[in-house]
Amino acid sequence: MKNFVQAGENITVTAAAAATSGDGVKIGSLFGIAAGDAETGDPLVLVTAGVFDMPKVAADDITLGAAVYWRSSDGLVTTTASGNTKVGVAVTAAGNGAASVRVRLNGAF
């Protein structure tokens, strides 16, 4: 194809805020995991597909296969859809009190 640019698993953006490797980053409708550290205005590579251990809302009881949403207010994933952005699906269960859950990112929203 003459117009193919890249597979899209890694997207380089300009960091809207400081980010640390492993942070979830949402810019508009684009969500990914920071592949490295970046200061505001620096280039930042976002990984938009794959499986990641992500911090979760401790009170949520997330089941295997549950849809997970990004809560921008505190950088946690949750099962609450309202006001949050769907980012993927849980590939492990994580009960009430667990600090993280393993998530497969959707890659596109």
Side-chain angles (χ1 to χ4, degrees):
M1 281 180 283
K2 292 191 268 183
N3 58 344
F4 180 80
V5 177
Q6 66 173 350
E9 290 90 0
N10 299 300
I11 303 290
T12 302
V13 299
T14 299
T20 301
S21 179
D23 284 352
V25 176
K26 181 177 176 292
I27 301 173
S29 294
L30 177 65
F31 180 84
I33 303 297
D37 298 345
E39 295 299 322
T40 302
D42 288 348
L44 173 63
V45 175
L46 295 181
V47 182
T48 62
V51 178
F52 297 87
D53 287 327
M54 298 182 70
K56 70 177 237 356
V57 173
D60 282 2
D61 185 11
I62 300 177
T63 58
L64 172 65
V68 253
Y69 301 84
W70 180 252
R71 195 163 78 175
S72 293
S73 62
D74 57 10
L76 301 176
V77 293
T78 180
T79 54
T80 302
S82 180
N84 299 309
T85 302
K86 186 175 180 185
V87 295
V89 62
V91 296
T92 59
N96 185 322
S100 66
V101 63
R102 195 157 285 175
V103 175
R104 179 187 53 82
L105 298 182
N106 284 342
F109 305 100

